Amino acid sequence: MIIELGHFALTLAFAVSLVQMVIPLIGAHKGWSGWMAMAEPAAIAQFLLVALSFGALTYAFVSSDFSLSVVVANSHTLKPMIYKVSGVWGNHEGSMLLWVLIVTLFGAMAAWFGGGLPPTLRARVLAVQGSIGAAFMAFVLFTSNPFERLAVPPFDGQDLNPLLQDPGLAFHPPFLYLGYVGLSICFSFAVAALIEGRVDAAWGRWVRPWTLAAWICLTIGIALGSWWAYYELGWGGFWFWDPVENASFMPWLIAAALLHSAIVVEKRESLKSWTILLAIVAFGFSLVGAFITRSGIITSVHAFATDPTRGVFLLLILGVFMGGALTLYAARASAMEAKGVFGLVSRESALVFNNILLAVSAFVVFIGTIWPLVAEMAFDRKLSVGAPFFNMAFTPFMVALGLILPIGAVMPWKRARMGRALRQMAPALVLAVALGGLVFALQTGRSALGPVGVALGAWLVSGAFVDLWIRAGRGPVAGKLLRMTRLPRSDWGKAVAHSGLGITMVGIAGMLAWQQEDIRVAQLGERFEVGQYEIVLETVERIEGPNYISTTATVSAWKNDEQVATLLPEKRVYPVAGMPTTEAALDNGLLRDIYIAIGDPQDGGGWAIRTYIKPLANWIWAGALIMALGGMLSLSDRRVRVAAGARKERGAAPMPAE
């Protein structure tokens, strides 16, 4: 009964989404307030119905209802409860229902918190959001129904993919979806503004909090996925440039550009056309990610489905929404006249350069991701684009972005003097160069990656502090420190986010430049050196888990004849799924990780052991979380948060209807 109720709720939500898509648009065009008012209750009802449907599917997984085919394929009675719950979205059908839930959640939030928006714009935003919900609900109901029953239910299920049975992967998809599905509301604001014929400073203030919320969640989601890949897959890396990893990274880059360009629209009423385009493209990359993940055109540990029919449906959704939005943009863009005039050296120019670097870097990732597909379809050649291409093509843009951020932050609007900005940043520059030089002097026979990364990270972190110091005004040091604590939270948020980016850059550079690797066959009791540490394989034993059988090694790590860590790497086999996994063991530290993965037993005796010493590894994810914290600080600033529903009457006149 509960399953049927969930299926009915989803079907009813689809019907409500069609009403939400059509009635408010007609009302806004005709000026009928009653029809426009239909948008808010429809958006809220749609969310509640989808939430009920999602709750019914969750109940089926928790109660191990094996009459549902999706539960049979992705659950098992012996599976721990956390993975029964995460199994809801650990498959194609359930993850698409989560996608729909988040689309409707953002629509409901726009209805709840958008009371200050002009009625016509609000109605159009919710109508566009309703159309997105309708498209994906149709996709779920007609091609990916999670409530499909089995005529003869089996006694037990086939278990969830063992790689997904991990705490990091339990929380990674919801945050990731909140991020790139959340960009749908930015898309809705952009399309509604084009239909409305009005893009002004008020629109910039309205769209920025929604973009910021999506960017925060996307940052956390990407960090969790990277952290999972680091310790779960056993290869010791944090980013593989996998096509599906790139599918989440591209919207993150575009969303970061959108955040910065929306500030220019709000403050100076410039970059209107460009900002609208970014809002469209950001969600477009999210749709591209859905297509890549679920169409079967690529093979990946992240891929959910391999059904070409679903891929065609998603390609149709992508074509309709992107084609329609870009056509509307082409018709309206020429009328979006920029009001603010600014000099070549100004904060506006710095933000334009920032946007160019982020957009081009996203384009580089996009080309590297799809080129193998293009080569195979157009030239019948099988190619692979791996980390060397991305590292060489992508890194220069990020270095340039890191160099410009602190300088642009201290420049005034409209017109600035480069010499003054550089003088203000002189302490940060001196510190960055000194730290980079110190690292270069300490390392011997290594590449410049480490010193450059440390210098760039120090430049970003110290530059962010200098920016706050300047904003505190003049006077005694004690007074300036006190005034710094009273600065708006959006200023602190910007500084914290930029510092987080610097910390992540230091972590990536340090890990890539200075990591040490040792792969060998080790005998029990054998002691071998890896860098400054001595590693000893103490024991290997067989242990039974709740739904797996583990081969667990006990490995001790020593430094200067003192034991510093005991590590327990595992090789697991999940009998139901018939799949092995590697569970690496880590001894985390502020300055380094000791990372050990155990392989298979060898014919001549001993075990394959892979050992890494990874300097500054945890700085990568700490920096990402600090970036997210900076976004939260900015979002907590009442001036930013209230802007989501604020109304500003002055601004550009509406564009002429066409």
Side-chain angles (χ1 to χ4, degrees):
M1 180 64 184
I2 292 179
I3 304 305
E4 282 68 30
L5 181 62
H7 193 183
F8 175 74
L10 185 61
T11 306
L12 186 57
F14 175 56
V16 172
S17 70
L18 295 176
V19 173
Q20 181 182 334
M21 177 177 67
V22 176
I23 300 299
L25 274 183
I26 297 174
H29 180 70
K30 297 289 188 179
W32 297 341
S33 58
W35 285 42
M36 287 189 287
M38 178 73 73
E40 291 84 4
I44 295 169
Q46 189 184 165
F47 167 66
L48 293 176
L49 287 168
V50 175
L52 177 60
S53 179
F54 190 81
L57 185 62
T58 303
Y59 172 81
F61 271 86
V62 169
S63 62
S64 296
D65 184 350
F66 296 119
S67 67
L68 285 184
S69 61
V70 69
V71 179
V72 172
N74 297 280
S75 192
H76 191 272
T77 52
L78 296 179
K79 191 166 65 172
M81 181 57 68
I82 184 175
Y83 303 130
K84 287 186 178 181
V85 174
S86 63
V88 178
W89 53 79
N91 59 86
H92 169 73
E93 292 82 3
S95 68
M96 288 311 304
L97 187 57
L98 177 63
W99 177 295
V100 171
L101 178 65
I102 293 172
V103 169
T104 59
L105 169 63
F106 275 86
M109 289 172 65
W112 287 325
F113 304 120
L117 295 173
T120 53
L121 179 63
R122 187 184 186 195
R124 285 168 172 145
V125 167
L126 292 176
V128 176
Q129 192 73 7
S131 69
I132 297 171
F136 280 96
M137 273 185 265
F139 176 75
V140 172
L141 287 169
F142 299 134
T143 73
S144 311
N145 186 3
F147 299 105
E148 183 179 337
R149 292 275 197 181
L150 294 174
V152 182
F155 178 74
D156 216 332
Q158 300 171 9
D159 209 357
L160 179 67
N161 183 338
L163 286 175
L164 305 182
Q165 295 187 38
D166 180 87
L169 259 289
F171 301 104
H172 161 68
F175 275 106
L176 205 63
Y177 280 26
L178 282 168
Y180 64 67
V181 180
L183 290 171
S184 62
I185 196 69
C186 305
F187 174 86
S188 297
F189 266 95
V191 172
L194 290 172
I195 298 172
E196 183 94 354
R198 183 187 180 102
V199 179
D200 56 11
W203 182 88
R205 285 201 309 279
W206 291 325
V207 79
R208 193 153 66 99
W210 300 103
T211 308
L212 186 57
W215 181 86
I216 291 167
C217 293
L218 194 52
T219 302
I220 296 172
I222 291 173
L224 285 173
S226 171
W227 178 57
W228 167 80
Y230 172 64
Y231 70 79
E232 174 68 22
L233 298 183
W235 57 284
F238 64 94
W239 195 260
F240 193 64
W241 295 106
D242 180 278
V244 182
E245 290 177 329
N246 296 345
S248 63
F249 190 44
M250 290 183 289
W252 185 86
L253 292 168
I254 298 297
L258 176 58
L259 275 175
H260 291 85
S261 63
I263 296 173
V264 181
V265 175
E266 177 186 348
K267 301 293 185 183
R268 301 287 299 145
E269 295 208 28
S270 296
L271 303 185
K272 296 178 183 179
S273 179
W274 172 250
T275 305
I276 289 285
L277 181 61
L278 285 177
I280 294 171
V281 170
F283 184 58
F285 273 126
S286 298
L287 295 178
V288 169
F291 173 71
I292 288 175
T293 310
R294 300 163 199 284
S295 62
I297 62 173
I298 61 144
T299 301
S300 166
V301 68
H302 305 81
F304 275 112
T306 57
D307 186 347
T309 305
R310 293 168 174 171
V312 171
F313 201 119
L314 286 169
L315 196 60
L316 181 63
I317 292 174
L318 174 65
V320 168
F321 281 97
M322 288 299 101
L326 292 175
T327 301
L328 184 60
Y329 173 80
R332 295 286 199 180
S334 60
M336 287 184 281
E337 180 182 356
K339 285 190 170 184
V341 178
F342 53 88
L344 183 61
V345 179
S346 62
R347 181 175 295 189
E348 293 94 329
S349 294
L351 288 170
V352 168
F353 193 34
N354 161 294
N355 269 230
I356 292 172
L357 291 171
L358 287 167
V360 173
S361 61
F363 181 72
V364 167
V365 176
F366 178 68
I367 292 298
T369 302
I370 68 164
W371 183 248
L373 305 176
V374 174
E376 185 172 355
M377 289 187 295
F379 310 114
D380 196 25
R381 295 181 59 190
K382 288 191 176 295
L383 301 175
S384 63
V385 178
F389 165 80
F390 288 106
N391 291 339
M392 291 182 63
F394 179 80
T395 302
F397 297 106
M398 289 297 100
V399 172
L401 180 67
L403 289 173
I404 196 175
L405 275 179
I407 298 174
V410 298
M411 284 183 175
W413 295 103
K414 195 173 182 179
R415 190 173 291 108
R417 293 197 297 270
M418 181 62 74
R420 182 182 179 187
L422 290 174
R423 285 195 300 273
Q424 290 175 322
M425 280 289 149
L429 181 61
V430 169
L431 177 62
V433 172
L435 286 176
L438 177 63
V439 171
F440 184 77
L442 291 175
Q443 72 171 21
T444 55
R446 296 180 183 270
S447 70
L449 177 61
V452 169
V454 170
L456 191 60
W459 166 244
L460 280 164
V461 174
S462 58
F465 179 80
V466 169
D467 180 30
L468 293 174
W469 185 259
I470 292 170
R471 291 177 184 276
R474 298 181 179 180
V477 172
K480 292 190 71 170
L481 290 173
L482 181 61
R483 287 194 295 274
M484 281 177 64
T485 62
R486 296 173 179 171
L487 287 173
R489 272 179 270 182
S490 59
D491 289 343
W492 275 98
K494 178 185 70 174
V496 170
H498 288 179
S499 297
L501 178 61
I503 291 169
T504 294
M505 286 184 172
V506 172
I508 292 173
M511 184 171 168
L512 295 180
W514 302 319
Q515 76 170 0
Q516 296 169 301
E517 179 182 3
D518 180 90
I519 304 174
R520 67 173 64 220
V521 176
Q523 304 293 332
L524 291 178
E526 179 183 351
R527 183 181 292 255
F528 56 92
E529 291 186 1
V530 182
Q532 298 178 340
Y533 296 89
E534 291 185 326
I535 308 298
V536 182
L537 177 61
E538 305 284 0
T539 62
V540 179
E541 55 187 340
R542 179 186 175 96
I543 298 175
E544 291 195 12
N547 62 333
Y548 60 85
I549 299 171
S550 169
T551 299
T552 303
T554 301
V555 180
S556 59
W558 301 72
K559 184 177 181 181
N560 299 326
D561 295 325
E562 180 181 349
Q563 185 172 348
V564 296
T566 299
L567 301 101
L568 302 173
E570 297 181 62
K571 194 81 172 179
R572 292 181 181 176
V573 175
Y574 290 77
V576 175
M579 181 175 176
T581 65
T582 298
E583 303 290 328
L586 287 93
D587 179 59
N588 300 110
L590 178 63
L591 299 179
R592 61 93 186 110
D593 278 1
I594 301 175
Y595 181 111
I596 297 179
I598 186 172
D600 297 321
Q602 304 301 298
D603 293 337
W607 295 80
I609 296 288
R610 184 188 297 265
T611 306
Y612 297 96
I613 308 300
K614 293 186 169 291
L616 306 180
N618 292 297
W619 290 40
I620 298 172
W621 303 288
L625 294 179
I626 290 171
M627 279 190 273
L629 175 61
M632 293 176 192
L633 283 172
S634 293
L635 195 59
S636 69
D637 190 323
R638 189 176 183 275
R639 299 176 307 165
V640 174
R641 189 178 67 254
V642 174
R647 185 172 183 176
K648 185 178 180 183
E649 296 298 335
R650 72 171 183 85
M655 291 182 283
E658 306 220 358

